[in-house]
Amino acid sequence: MEILLDSANLPAVRRFYDTCPISGLTTNPSILKKEGKIDFFAHMKELQSVLAGGDTFHVQVVGENADDMLREADVLIEKLSADVYIKVPTTESGLKVMKTIVKAGHNVTATAVYSAFQAFLAAEVGVKYIAPYFNRMQNLGMRADEEIFAMASAIDQTETKIVAASFKRIQQVIDAIQAGAEAVTIPTDILETQFANQTVNNAVSAFLQDWQSVQGAKNIYEL
Ligand code: G3P
């Protein structure tokens, strides 16, 4: 399993890279919008500096046609790294872009995936990851876990991995993993919600109170 952060917020990325088993970052224009009017490449390089060797960094192109997306991919590879994962929407022109980037030996993450057929097409092109949008599928009345299961089965004979995305709730992440996603990219507020869980925190407080009622304020290393 791989856990990635779907975020471009540097403090949150640094925080959870420090505390959690994170192995990569994904961004898109909507995620970047939350950071305001940033210097795009400076910000990308700062995010990249948080990653450890072997982690994956996924950056989305925004061009409205294949030529523009390909020019953007070239610049991302030149300015960030030859190993960057170029996120490309899984449209007809996006597939054309994916074919060219894969042929050149670079990494592609096929994004905006809502169906097993899209997943199948992108996997046959040879992309490294496909990113199905869990919450957005549910918002459309689709059974997102069943779709991911179908995607996993459709791309079973390929090297492509599913990095499930678009999560609003913890249970959605678990459902995606159980349905066959090899990786998940999660917004940092999902982790904040987990660590603010009062039931867990109450259990820890009760242990501390029991300890202190017998041993006083000393820690184990002070005994
Ligand atoms: O990585 C794609 C994901 O960021 C989409 O998430 O929350 O905009 O549906 P959301």
Side-chain angles (χ1 to χ4, degrees):
M1 271 305 300
E2 297 165 38
I3 308 172
L4 290 78
L5 295 176
D6 206 17
S7 173
N9 183 263
L10 273 162
V13 166
R14 288 197 181 104
R15 171 184 166 187
F16 292 118
Y17 240 88
D18 190 37
T19 58
C20 294
I22 306 299
S23 61
L25 295 178
T26 54
T27 68
N28 66 33
S30 305
I31 289 170
L32 293 176
K33 182 183 173 190
K34 293 181 194 160
E35 304 310 306
K37 181 105 179 79
I38 50 169
D39 174 334
F40 175 74
F41 279 109
H43 198 91
M44 290 299 105
K45 283 181 183 167
E46 276 210 78
L47 287 170
Q48 208 174 13
S49 73
V50 182
L51 273 65
D55 289 355
T56 60
F57 187 41
H58 308 244
V59 183
Q60 191 162 328
V61 290
V62 300
E64 291 184 89
N65 57 58
D67 287 345
D68 283 352
M69 285 189 267
L70 282 170
R71 285 182 68 182
E72 289 171 342
D74 284 345
V75 175
L76 289 170
I77 288 163
E78 182 197 319
K79 294 206 174 185
L80 297 178
S81 157
D83 295 331
V84 70
Y85 285 70
I86 308 293
K87 270 179 90 182
V88 184
T90 313
T91 58
E92 185 176 5
S93 53
L95 282 162
K96 178 177 176 180
V97 171
M98 292 176 202
K99 283 173 70 174
T100 307
I101 301 174
V102 167
K103 207 168 169 187
H106 295 292
N107 301 317
V108 174
T109 298
T111 195
V113 174
Y114 289 78
S115 75
F117 190 54
Q118 277 178 297
F120 174 63
L121 288 170
E124 287 300 313
V125 166
V127 304
K128 292 278 169 49
Y129 292 90
I130 57 156
Y133 285 0
F134 201 98
N135 186 63
R136 294 193 196 196
M137 284 194 276
Q138 287 191 330
N139 284 348
L140 292 171
M142 300 166 71
R143 296 193 182 277
D145 54 346
E146 290 178 11
E147 290 296 334
I148 289 183
F149 184 80
M151 289 176 200
S153 154
I155 67 172
D156 192 35
Q157 303 298 316
T158 71
E159 299 289 308
T160 304
K161 292 186 196 174
I162 296 176
V163 55
S166 177
F167 294 114
K168 295 286 177 274
R169 290 182 296 284
I170 291 169
Q171 188 58 47
Q172 294 175 327
V173 180
I174 301 301
D175 288 345
I177 294 165
Q178 287 181 335
E182 292 102 333
V184 288
T185 183
I186 53 182
T188 53
D189 53 8
I190 292 251
L191 291 169
E192 281 160 19
T193 301
Q194 174 57 49
F195 298 132
N197 183 317
Q198 221 31 60
T199 307
V200 176
N201 296 339
N202 287 346
V204 176
S205 296
F207 289 137
L208 182 62
Q209 278 169 21
D210 288 345
W211 172 265
Q212 290 181 338
S213 68
V214 179
Q215 300 287 352
K218 287 186 176 167
N219 282 310
I220 289 173
Y221 60 79
E222 294 172 302
L223 298 179

